[in-house]
Amino acid sequence: MARYLIAMTGASGAIHGVDFVKRCPGEKWLVMSDWARHVLQSERGMKPADLEPHVKSVYRDDDLAAPFSSGSNRYDALVIVPCSVSTLAKIAVGIADTLITRAAAVALKERMKMIVCVRETPLSTIALEHIARLSRDGVIVMPVAPPWYANPKSLDELVAGFTDKLLSVLGEAPAGKAWRQDELE
Ligand SMILES: Cc1cc2nc3c(=O)[nH]c(=O)nc-3n(C[C@H](O)[C@H](O)[C@H](O)COP(=O)(O)O)c2cc1C
């Protein structure tokens, strides 16, 4: 069974983190920054405790004694969804003063898979440079850009479309509509 560390930060789009936490298979652990908790409440009316049933545990971002602060604790991928440009910047320059940024620093040094779902618009040159830097280091940068080509009929379907893409990048079969083989040819 795959093991995933999921991080939510204080970017808008908590709905994407929530959907991913719920639908990603495997063993999952969740870290939420202080601002992620704030945005979760303001955008979804939810508390971190609402996500506890879907993961093994929810960590505070100041819990640098958590297992994921150490490279000895390996897992299959770190997924940051949504990722603020602040967290993006810290990761890109090597600041590791929170559990999320420390886990990212560990993932980089240990060459572990990392997916960063940046959410900001427009993007500054600084943010674009940070994206390029991480991408060159093997990080998969997936801006929160839900697909419209499946003609979503609702917000839930639109959000599910982005989660499907995230799951397919992780190598997990998407639970939603996948491309038919004849559409690929
Ligand atoms: C309602 C709300 C929406 C926000 N949306 C974004 C956003 O879309 N992208 C972003 O980079 N920051 C956004 N921010 C700002 C971040 O929360 C802020 O930079 C914070 O310091 C990020 O810290 P974190 O990355 O540790 O969560 C938003 C803040 C609030 C309160």
Side-chain angles (χ1 to χ4, degrees), residues 9-12 33 35-36 38-39 42 61 84-87 119-120:
T9 72
S12 185
S33 74
W35 280 102
H38 181 96
V39 176
S42 66
D61 203 17
S84 71
V85 290
S86 174
T87 289
R119 212 314 311 184
E120 184 57 288

